[in-house]
Amino acid sequence: MRTAIAAVVAVVIVAVLAVVISRHSTSSAASETSFTLPVLTGTGKVSLSEFRGEPTVVTLFASWCTACQAELPDYAKVASSLRGKVHFVGVDAKETGDGVAFADMFHLSQAGFVLARDVNDEAFTAYAARGLPLTAIYNNTGKLIGRYNEALTAAQLTAYLAPLT
């Protein structure tokens, strides 16, 4: 009986660890992520490499994503408060609606976001995203230090960025 209970407890611990690791994965493929995407409006390109040297937050969103709708107001506030200390890159990915209007609704540009379109799923694929939203946090050397395939609150985002600012 004790052996069976111990086995069940071990299985539960392994399962919990697997979930935690997968939710906060920084796989070697993702840690070497590089992309160059068209800007969300107008002409030009956004390249992840241009932000090396300062902490950077990349968030993938879409207008249909209800979790994105919940987190982007917080992201705009955090981006405004950290302007000049942390770069924020918003990537409109898997879009089926109006990503420009969606970004405008949350005043992302005014908050300091650089906005891009993930037309061919380049960023979505590079991050091995399972869905949206996805947030990737890089330190000032360009090393991926966190990848979150879930909505984050302002408190969570601020806590993850605190060691970098």
Side-chain angles (χ1 to χ4, degrees):
M1 179 72 164
R2 285 187 177 160
T3 305
I5 292 172
V8 169
V9 169
V11 168
V12 169
I13 290 171
V14 169
V16 168
L17 285 174
V19 168
V20 169
I21 289 168
S22 72
R23 287 177 68 189
H24 303 292
S25 168
T26 54
S27 69
S28 61
S31 67
E32 299 171 9
T33 302
S34 176
F35 58 75
T36 300
L37 303 170
V39 295
L40 186 58
T41 60
T43 59
K45 300 283 184 184
V46 176
S47 177
L48 182 59
S49 64
E50 70 189 80
F51 302 102
R52 179 165 273 173
E54 292 186 38
T56 302
V57 173
V58 177
T59 185
L60 277 60
F61 65 86
S63 63
W64 52 262
C65 170
T66 56
C68 302
Q69 294 168 14
E71 84 174 0
L72 284 178
D74 286 345
Y75 276 46
K77 289 176 188 170
V78 173
S80 289
S81 71
L82 294 175
R83 191 181 296 243
K85 296 178 183 176
V86 177
H87 290 287
F88 280 77
V89 179
V91 179
D92 186 27
K94 296 290 187 184
E95 190 59 70
T96 59
D98 189 346
V100 174
F102 187 70
D104 287 346
M105 180 172 41
F106 298 110
H107 310 288
L108 297 183
S109 290
Q110 296 88 334
F113 272 78
V114 173
L115 297 170
R117 290 182 290 129
D118 193 14
V119 179
N120 297 316
D121 294 337
E122 182 181 344
F124 191 86
T125 301
Y127 286 116
R130 297 181 319 270
L132 296 176
L134 179 132
T135 299
I137 300 174
Y138 295 86
N139 68 11
N140 62 347
T141 66
K143 179 183 179 194
L144 181 67
I145 59 167
R147 183 184 149 282
Y148 310 93
N149 211 161
E150 61 192 338
L152 300 178
T153 65
Q156 288 172 311
L157 183 60
T158 301
Y160 294 145
L161 294 172
L164 305 176
T165 58

